[in-house]
Amino acid sequence: MKGLNIVSSYSDQLSDQGEEPPLQTAFDRLLDGIAHLCIIVSGILLVFLIVTFGWLVFGRYVLNDTPTWVEQSSLLIVVYITCLGAAAGVRNNTHLSIDFVREGLPALPREIMRYIADFCVAAFGGFMAWQGWLLVMDNLSRAIPMIGLSESWRAAPLAICGLLMVLFSGVNIAQRLIKYGRK
């Protein structure tokens, strides 16, 4: 029933290739816990998003009084769901990728391409964290219309997701280097 597994991790991919999965250290469990927390928070926010849109429809068509805060809060929530889900996807290796070319190559080019992919994700995450932090700092005094929170709340997930992407990609690279250093 491996084909029905929706969430796979790097260790699952290694076991599919006949390699031993790496030992789970306390640090790995911590990172897996952070990724799992990102998924849980995203799920809770998704439920809240659905409930608020239900309230929007009810308010608009039944009460004839449209709640104006729903649109802005929904935009804020979508940013958190997307960014936290993307960070967890980097840790769980479930992000969007086209790997049939890489997996068709011999071992050395395949591994080089994995390093390149992780480096690119880490570089993108670093840029996202940096620019997200600049947005947070630049928008502290601006309020989001209708809900009154600082615009920085809208930019914070970019910085958080970027940092997590750098961390998770860096750990992937380090674990591969350690694994090949032992051979």
Side-chain angles (χ1 to χ4, degrees):
M1 288 283 187
K2 277 188 180 180
L4 295 177
N5 187 3
I6 295 173
V7 177
S8 69
S9 65
Y10 179 67
S11 60
D12 291 339
Q13 291 176 3
L14 288 177
S15 63
D16 289 343
Q17 299 168 2
E19 301 176 33
E20 282 189 33
L23 292 174
Q24 277 275 323
T25 65
F27 186 62
D28 286 326
R29 287 189 298 275
L30 173 69
L31 294 180
D32 287 342
I34 292 170
H36 190 68
L37 180 65
C38 288
I39 292 170
I40 289 171
V41 170
S42 293
I44 290 168
L45 288 174
L46 186 59
V47 170
F48 184 72
L49 184 69
I50 292 167
V51 169
T52 58
F53 269 100
W55 179 250
L56 173 77
V57 170
F58 181 77
R60 179 177 291 162
Y61 295 109
V62 176
L63 301 177
N64 201 24
D65 184 23
T66 304
T68 56
W69 56 269
V70 172
E71 180 182 352
Q72 289 300 321
S73 65
S74 298
L75 291 172
L76 181 65
I77 291 169
V78 166
V79 174
Y80 277 88
I81 292 169
T82 303
C83 289
L84 292 174
V90 172
R91 175 64 185 165
N92 295 327
N93 230 1
T94 57
H95 51 81
L96 180 64
S97 66
I98 303 171
D99 57 2
F100 69 90
V101 173
R102 181 188 70 210
E103 297 305 319
L105 294 174
L108 182 61
R110 181 175 53 233
E111 288 306 309
I112 291 171
M113 288 181 76
R114 283 188 179 138
Y115 283 109
I116 291 170
D118 279 334
F119 176 75
C120 288
V121 169
F124 178 78
F127 182 75
M128 196 162 96
W130 171 49
Q131 290 298 313
W133 180 251
L134 291 178
L135 282 171
V136 167
M137 298 312 292
D138 287 344
N139 291 308
L140 285 170
S141 61
R142 290 183 54 212
I144 298 174
M146 306 295 174
I147 57 177
L149 290 174
S150 169
E151 278 284 349
S152 294
W153 282 96
R154 209 183 305 249
L158 296 173
I160 294 166
C161 176
L163 285 173
L164 290 174
M165 288 171 72
V166 170
L167 175 66
F168 294 153
S169 296
V171 168
N172 285 346
I173 292 169
Q175 285 178 338
R176 262 194 232 107
L177 287 172
I178 291 168
K179 183 180 107 178
Y180 287 112
R182 290 181 185 163
K183 285 186 177 182

